[in-house]
């Protein structure tokens, strides 16, 4: 077996596009982190495939440009993604953040932004890929659930992991309470993961993303009763 080489990921520019299909609470967390200075970035475009996505209203409230384009008007995924890439280029986007974007992206988009497309998923991947991940976790009976920020590849919820955070499952949990606790941790780790990528120094070793060269070291979170992130000794 050959050992994969360690490759430093190029430091991207700081202009983000956030791609959404619905509520947009992760979008809001990213915009809030930018506003408070916790994340040094700007959102150049919020894109949605659904006109009724609530997150579009959030984008407008924060004064961020939006674009909506239904995939239905396109003959296939590649043609749709080519149009999205054109839009992203027009808005001088450096990094693409999927945040509840309910579409699988094709190589057309991934090749246009190599190592620069991120997604957040409400489970500790590779467990519970696909829809309703927190329901899957509760029904399976795991004691620790969580969320993952990962680089996107062509397969659903399977690209290299950048950050994860764990959330303890309580006996009293329902689908809703667990999903909500995971979501509040998502709001912490997504801006943080984006910051790690933007600050540069991340390295790839096969599937592994090494954080030790990054400006901020960010160990995976440990579970706590409240589901919030504890303070780590660095
Ligand atoms: C989040 O749970 C995220 O992990 C998943 O889709 C949901 C989007 O929620 N990919 P929101 O639109 O950011 O509120």
């Amino acid at each position: 077996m050959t050992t994969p080489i360690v490759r430093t990921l190029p430091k991207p520019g700081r202009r983000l596009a956030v791609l959404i299909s619905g509520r947009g609470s992760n979008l809001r967390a990213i915009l809030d982190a930018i506003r408070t200075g916790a994340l040094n970035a700007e959102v150049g475009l919020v894109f949605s495939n659904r006109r009724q996505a609530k997150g579009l209203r959030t984008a407008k409230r924060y004064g961020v440009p939006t674009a909506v384009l239904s995939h239905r008007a396109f003959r296939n995924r590649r043609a749709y993604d080519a149009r999205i890439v054109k839009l992203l280029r027009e808005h001088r986007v450096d990094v693409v953040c999927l945040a509840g974007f309910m579409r699988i992206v094709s190589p057309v988009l991934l090749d246009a932004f190599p190592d620069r497309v991120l997604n957040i998923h409400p489970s500790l991947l590779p467990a519970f890929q696909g829809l309703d991940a927190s329901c899957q976790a509760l029904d399976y009976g795991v004691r620790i659930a969580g969320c993952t920020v990962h680089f996107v590849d062509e397969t659903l919820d399977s690209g290299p992991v950048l950050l994860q955070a764990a959330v303890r499952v309580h006996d009293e949990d329902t689908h809703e309470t667990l999903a909500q606790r995971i979501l509040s941790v998502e709001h912490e780790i997504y801006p943080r993961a984006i910051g790690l990528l933007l600050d540069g120094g991340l390295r790839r070793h096969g599937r592994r993303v090494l954080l030790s060269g990054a400006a901020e070291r960010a160990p995976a979170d440990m579970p706590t009763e409240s589901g919030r992130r504890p303070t780590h000794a660095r």
Side-chain angles (χ1 to χ4, degrees):
M1 207 167 82
T2 53
T3 319
I5 52 162
V6 178
R7 178 170 66 86
T8 301
L9 302 187
K11 184 172 167 163
R14 293 187 175 273
R15 219 169 138 80
L16 313 177
V18 184
L19 274 51
I20 62 168
S21 297
R23 181 177 52 186
S25 69
N26 278 288
L27 164 67
R28 201 180 56 240
I30 292 166
L31 290 166
D32 282 342
I34 293 172
R35 198 171 256 187
T36 62
L39 173 62
N40 178 8
E42 60 178 324
V43 177
L45 180 67
V46 171
F47 175 86
S48 175
N49 62 325
R50 295 179 61 233
R51 183 163 301 284
Q52 60 279 35
K54 266 192 182 166
L56 290 168
R57 292 210 289 276
T58 305
K60 289 189 180 124
R61 263 205 323 277
Y62 281 73
V64 174
T66 58
V68 182
L69 205 54
S70 166
H71 53 274
R72 292 180 211 287
F74 291 80
R75 66 184 181 285
N76 56 36
R77 203 181 291 283
R78 295 179 70 91
Y80 182 59
D81 283 4
R83 184 69 186 87
I84 297 180
V85 168
K86 189 164 178 283
L87 263 175
L88 299 177
R89 295 223 191 281
E90 282 165 8
H91 286 82
R92 294 175 291 107
V93 163
D94 303 303
V95 170
V96 180
C97 302
L98 310 185
F101 186 56
M102 303 299 280
R103 304 265 317 155
I104 295 180
V105 295
S106 73
V108 170
L109 195 147
L110 298 175
D111 293 348
F113 294 90
D115 296 316
R116 285 179 292 144
V117 184
L118 298 178
N119 183 41
I120 182 140
H121 182 75
S123 79
L124 292 173
L125 289 172
F128 311 124
Q129 297 167 334
L131 290 177
D132 298 324
S134 53
C135 300
Q136 292 184 53
L138 190 70
D139 294 345
Y140 190 90
V142 295
R143 302 240 173 252
I144 305 290
C147 53
T148 303
V149 179
H150 64 94
F151 288 95
V152 176
D153 64 14
E154 288 163 43
T155 319
L156 185 69
D157 303 328
S158 75
V161 170
L162 175 46
L163 271 191
Q164 292 187 304
V167 168
R168 196 184 295 279
V169 180
H170 303 312
D171 287 350
E172 321 75 67
D173 267 328
T174 61
H175 290 154
E176 290 71 31
T177 59
L178 182 60
Q180 188 51 51
R181 244 181 13 269
I182 293 173
L183 191 66
S184 64
V185 179
E186 290 183 36
H187 297 163
E188 294 184 32
I189 69 161
Y190 207 2
R192 199 154 166 235
I194 295 166
L196 282 170
L197 176 63
L198 301 192
D199 289 346
L202 293 181
R203 290 171 303 140
R204 280 276 304 270
H205 184 223
R207 278 192 57 89
R208 296 182 64 202
V209 179
L210 309 180
L211 304 179
S212 49
E216 183 200 4
R217 299 191 67 209
D221 290 338
M222 294 300 291
T224 63
E225 282 309 316
S226 67
R228 290 190 62 78
R229 180 166 52 87
T231 340
H232 288 279
R234 290 256 162 94

